[in-house]
Amino acid sequence: MKTVHFIVIICLICSMSGLPGNTRRGEKSQFASSDDISLLAHGLYLLGKGLKEHTNKIKGEMNAVLGQLNVYNSSINNLGSQVRLIKSDEKDLQGKALKLEIEDEELHKRIMELRNELRKALQDQQSVANKVDSVEGKRERILENYVEKNKSADVPFYRSATEFQNQRIDEVVVLLKAQQQQIDEQNQQIQLLVNKISNADLDPRKHFKKDVKGSNSLGDQWSIQNEASSDSDCDQIFKRGERTSGIYSIQSKGSQLLQTYCQMTAESGWTVIQRRYNGTLDFDRSWLEYITGFGDLHGEFWLGLESFYQVAHRAKYILRIELEDWKNDTRYIEYTFKIGGKDNNYTLQIGQVLSGDLSSAMSDCKALPFSTSDRDNDLHTVINCAEQHSGGWWFSACGEANLNGKYLRSRISRRPDRKKGIFWKTWKGNYYSFKSTQLMVRPMEIAN
């Protein structure tokens, strides 16, 4: 296009040089006029300008093409790298496939060996069975011969005597179990009486305190400090102005003084019933131990069913359950509840869920008595849930939670330990054992 413009300009210059008036008549022009030169210069300027723009345009197009070529080259290089990775993965897979083939052959050989051993064991079993049958046949023949030779009343007499002895043995076993239960109840009553007598004999103005640390029974941790406490729970201590979590003395109306661990929050004081976090304390305990309590208030402990009842049965209380998994994630749930006394086997009635980010696993706990391995109070007709799950708890049949099970690490791999850990089915399932757990209570109505 620019070339066409140049040709047109040249033609105009040439035509203008031959116009009339540009030369005198009869004279030939030897030099171009200034106008012609100006016109020519302007034309050359436009031509140069057009050529420059055209060159810049071509240069930009070439740069764009080069950029696309660079992108294509980069893509080709990436594809090459991916192809090399695929080839490397292919080699790895071939190596793994070869290894699996070798392992498969070894496994096949092992299976054949086990089959041979099983076949041999079955043959040995059959041989033993044949020998047993032979011995049984000989025994029966000997007995038949004996009966034939001694057709008297001796054999029926011995049979009846044996049956009578077996019956007597069964009766003795039943009596022993009943006596053991009575002994447990008497031991419990003796422990409670000892505690009451200790408190009655001591002057309330004197300072008396047993060292809690190292004691394995909270039944031994009843104490009197300075004077009889008027605080019935940890929330009463909070109302007095105490804001530090720790061990305090409380005393419910009509009950003996005891020490407990108080968890202080910004709103109230919680009386801790159970705390576990390191597995140093075995919670697979007897009925009597669960009643009186066990453990160390400085560490892991169970406050005791009787203490739980004395603290929480006179008013409306909230039960708070806190769980922590092995990734240090924590959740909690708060219930309304009621707890019965010894005559009702410390029956727990769970009410409504008040708050928390933990799904309920105790919705079936409408009126469940406490159960241990030596006091089977659960609702299952065949299984002793405390024996199957370990520890004592408010089992139904056998329920979706047990926070007093064995202290195990995370998910349970050993089949015998499954469902024996500290589990809460609605979070992590039955086979996950939690890192820490805490049960605590406070009154529903708290003063600001």
Side-chain angles (χ1 to χ4, degrees):
M1 189 65 183
K2 299 297 179 180
T3 305
V4 174
H5 290 166
F6 176 72
I7 294 171
V8 171
I9 292 170
I10 297 300
C11 292
L12 288 173
I13 294 171
C14 294
S15 62
M16 289 177 66
S17 62
L19 290 176
N22 290 337
T23 58
R24 281 187 276 180
R25 186 181 298 270
E27 292 182 359
K28 292 183 179 179
S29 176
Q30 295 180 355
F31 302 100
S33 65
S34 61
D35 293 336
D36 293 340
I37 292 172
S38 297
L39 181 61
L40 180 61
H42 184 68
L44 290 173
Y45 170 75
L46 292 175
L47 178 61
K49 184 178 180 181
L51 288 173
K52 183 178 180 182
E53 292 176 354
H54 185 64
T55 301
N56 291 335
K57 182 178 179 182
I58 291 174
K59 187 184 291 184
E61 291 176 351
M62 290 180 68
N63 289 333
V65 170
L66 288 174
Q68 292 179 355
L69 288 174
N70 290 331
V71 172
Y72 293 150
N73 289 334
S74 177
S75 300
I76 290 171
N77 291 332
N78 290 333
L79 288 173
S81 300
Q82 292 178 3
V83 168
R84 286 191 293 272
L85 288 174
I86 290 171
K87 288 183 179 179
S88 177
D89 292 340
E90 183 180 1
K91 291 181 180 179
D92 292 340
L93 289 173
Q94 288 176 351
K96 290 180 180 179
L98 181 61
K99 185 178 179 181
L100 288 173
E101 288 179 359
I102 295 173
E103 291 178 353
D104 183 64
E105 290 179 358
E106 293 177 352
L107 182 61
H108 181 70
K109 290 179 182 178
R110 181 57 181 163
I111 290 173
M112 295 300 296
E113 292 174 357
L114 290 174
R115 284 181 178 175
N116 294 332
E117 291 177 2
L118 178 61
R119 190 179 297 110
K120 184 179 179 181
L122 291 173
Q123 292 174 355
D124 293 342
Q125 183 182 9
Q126 186 63 39
S127 175
V128 171
N130 293 335
K131 290 179 180 179
V132 170
D133 291 340
S134 176
V135 171
E136 288 289 334
K138 290 179 181 179
R139 185 180 66 83
E140 290 177 357
R141 287 194 296 272
I142 291 171
L143 287 175
E144 289 176 358
N145 293 333
Y146 178 79
V147 171
E148 289 293 333
K149 291 178 180 179
N150 300 279
K151 290 183 178 179
S152 63
D154 291 344
V155 173
F157 171 76
Y158 290 138
R159 262 184 209 165
S160 61
T162 302
E163 292 175 356
F164 177 75
Q165 288 177 353
N166 290 335
Q167 183 178 356
R168 290 291 298 166
I169 290 171
D170 293 337
E171 292 175 356
V172 170
V173 169
V174 172
L175 289 173
L176 287 174
K177 288 182 178 179
Q179 288 176 356
Q180 183 63 43
Q181 183 174 348
Q182 291 177 359
I183 290 171
D184 291 340
E185 292 177 353
Q186 289 173 356
N187 286 335
Q188 174 194 343
Q189 293 174 0
I190 290 170
Q191 182 67 50
L192 295 176
L193 288 172
V194 167
N195 293 329
K196 290 181 179 179
I197 292 170
S198 298
N199 287 330
D201 290 340
L202 291 170
D203 185 352
R205 293 169 296 181
K206 293 181 181 178
H207 174 78
F208 174 82
K209 180 181 178 182
K210 285 193 176 181
D211 185 12
V212 179
K213 192 169 185 178
S215 174
N216 199 35
S217 173
L218 291 182
D220 294 332
Q221 295 174 16
W222 306 95
S223 67
I224 291 179
Q225 291 181 298
N226 297 328
E227 60 183 23
S229 173
S230 60
D231 302 316
S232 60
D233 57 26
C234 292
D235 187 61
Q236 295 264 325
I237 297 173
F238 178 89
K239 291 174 183 175
R240 284 198 289 104
E242 293 288 347
R243 295 294 183 269
T244 303
S245 298
I247 299 173
Y248 295 88
S249 296
I250 61 174
Q251 185 176 26
S252 300
K253 185 178 180 180
S255 64
Q256 55 268 57
L257 194 72
L258 76 147
Q259 286 189 321
T260 185
Y261 190 92
C262 295
Q263 185 73 39
M264 301 301 183
T265 64
E267 296 81 15
S268 64
W270 293 81
T271 304
V272 179
I273 305 300
Q274 180 250 48
R275 183 173 63 190
R276 307 184 69 181
Y277 61 92
N278 58 13
T280 56
L281 184 63
D282 183 11
F283 273 66
D284 193 11
R285 302 294 185 116
S286 66
W287 172 258
L288 179 61
E289 288 174 297
Y290 266 102
I291 289 176
T292 58
F294 52 87
D296 181 359
L297 291 175
H298 292 91
E300 293 190 331
F301 67 91
W302 173 262
L303 187 63
L305 290 168
E306 184 62 25
S307 299
F308 187 7
Y309 169 75
Q310 293 296 338
V311 169
H313 82 284
R314 297 184 184 278
K316 292 182 179 179
Y317 270 69
I318 295 173
L319 171 65
R320 181 184 175 98
I321 296 174
E322 297 177 346
L323 300 177
E324 181 183 17
D325 66 13
W326 290 94
K327 294 181 179 179
N328 299 325
D329 293 330
T330 59
R331 294 188 183 182
Y332 79 97
I333 189 170
E334 292 182 358
Y335 296 101
T336 60
F337 76 99
K338 292 182 180 179
I339 185 169
K342 175 190 170 186
D343 294 337
N344 294 322
N345 293 318
Y346 303 98
T347 295
L348 182 65
Q349 299 180 29
I350 291 293
Q352 68 185 80
V353 176
L354 298 177
S355 64
D357 53 359
L358 180 65
S359 299
S360 177
M362 298 183 70
S363 56
D364 59 348
C365 190
K366 300 302 182 184
L368 293 180
F370 199 84
S371 186
T372 59
S373 58
D374 61 340
R375 183 66 66 89
D376 186 7
N377 294 324
D378 60 64
L379 304 184
H380 205 292
T381 57
V382 178
I383 297 173
N384 183 333
C385 297
E387 284 186 349
Q388 178 161 331
H389 288 302
S390 179
W393 191 250
W394 294 275
F395 295 110
S396 56
C398 289
E400 298 181 346
N402 178 18
L403 303 185
N404 289 333
K406 286 185 177 181
Y407 193 90
L408 304 170
R409 297 285 177 177
S410 188
R411 186 169 293 277
I412 304 164
S413 57
R414 294 181 67 252
R415 185 175 294 274
D417 288 334
R418 289 183 177 178
K419 294 188 177 182
K420 288 184 178 292
I422 306 169
F423 72 91
W424 189 273
K425 186 176 181 181
T426 57
W427 189 31
K428 307 289 187 181
N430 284 0
Y431 297 156
Y432 188 96
S433 188
F434 286 95
K435 178 182 179 181
S436 69
T437 175
Q438 185 165 257
L439 278 67
M440 50 189 187
V441 297
R442 70 162 172 83
M444 184 174 291
E445 299 294 335
I446 56 175
N448 293 326

